[in-house]
Amino acid sequence: MNRICRQCGAEKPLWEFVDRSKQTGERRKIHRICAACRSERSKERYQQRRKEVLSYQKQYREKLKRERIETPVNCDPKESCGSVDNGYVRLAAEILRSEFSAYRRALEKYDGSPESIGRIRSIEREILTPYYAALTMNAIDLKRYCNDLRKKYGIYGGIEDWAG
């Protein structure tokens, strides 16, 4: 079965119009223009918006760097695993970074709605479990850290105030 590309006008096999998921290989969408034309259009669009894209990427990298610095556990992922203990510490640090990144995103999106409060509460419940206390080796008061982050984002009222 063939299809005619709406951009170049060439008749090509249908598989050149199909967009597949990179993870699963499943078909997601059948386009009206062929893969070669889509690729060319994407390259042109990037060239038109290159400065904007590079600026966004730089801001994103800086934001990630700030989040790594603000995370309570500081472990350099580039260090070699000298021992099994170092590997566990690095893994714990990465888990904490990931959870606190999600927590910061929820705080940034807070709008006072029950959904945003529920999202924040859910993440706090997870962070305040014995599991996360063990990950920090009880060296960090996670409850106080969460309250400090709330204040930083202008959300007043501590964790006790939202208990329920």
Side-chain angles (χ1 to χ4, degrees):
M1 181 172 205
N2 291 338
R3 182 175 227 170
I4 297 174
C5 176
R6 293 224 173 154
Q7 189 163 335
C8 66
E11 186 174 342
K12 296 182 179 183
L14 188 60
W15 61 266
E16 289 200 27
F17 296 86
V18 175
D19 185 16
R20 296 208 174 265
S21 167
K22 290 180 181 174
Q23 288 87 14
T24 64
E26 294 177 20
R27 186 180 81 191
R28 289 189 297 201
K29 187 174 182 180
I30 298 177
H31 294 275
R32 296 180 185 272
I33 61 173
C34 66
C37 291
R38 278 197 325 270
S39 175
E40 189 61 36
R41 188 168 64 178
S42 178
K43 288 175 188 174
E44 288 172 5
R45 187 164 183 256
Y46 173 77
Q47 288 303 322
Q48 291 170 353
R49 300 179 56 223
R50 185 171 186 272
K51 287 182 182 176
E52 185 181 331
V53 169
L54 292 175
S55 170
Y56 173 80
Q57 288 173 345
K58 183 178 179 183
Q59 289 172 359
Y60 182 75
R61 283 192 301 272
E62 288 171 356
K63 178 183 172 198
L64 288 179
K65 199 179 291 183
R66 276 193 313 274
E67 285 179 359
R68 281 188 176 261
I69 291 169
E70 292 173 359
T71 302
V73 175
N74 196 6
C75 178
D76 186 9
K78 294 177 185 168
E79 288 179 4
S80 64
C81 279
S83 69
V84 174
D85 288 343
N86 284 346
Y88 284 123
V89 169
R90 286 181 40 219
L91 178 61
E94 200 53 45
I95 291 169
L96 285 166
R97 274 190 203 104
S98 173
E99 195 65 27
F100 276 103
S101 290
Y103 185 57
R104 278 190 202 89
R105 283 191 301 273
L107 291 172
E108 287 171 0
K109 293 179 181 178
Y110 175 74
D111 58 6
S113 69
E115 293 83 18
S116 63
I117 292 170
R119 204 173 313 119
I120 291 170
R121 277 185 175 173
S122 172
I123 295 171
E124 285 174 348
R125 267 190 232 107
E126 181 71 22
I127 288 173
L128 298 176
T129 60
Y131 171 74
Y132 283 92
L135 284 176
T136 63
M137 294 179 245
N138 294 314
I140 297 164
D141 183 0
L142 292 173
K143 193 174 194 178
R144 194 180 92 223
Y145 188 75
C146 287
N147 282 332
D148 291 345
L149 275 177
R150 278 181 180 217
K151 288 176 188 168
K152 180 180 174 184
Y153 285 95
I155 303 170
Y156 297 97
I159 291 170
E160 303 84 24
D161 299 340
W162 284 6

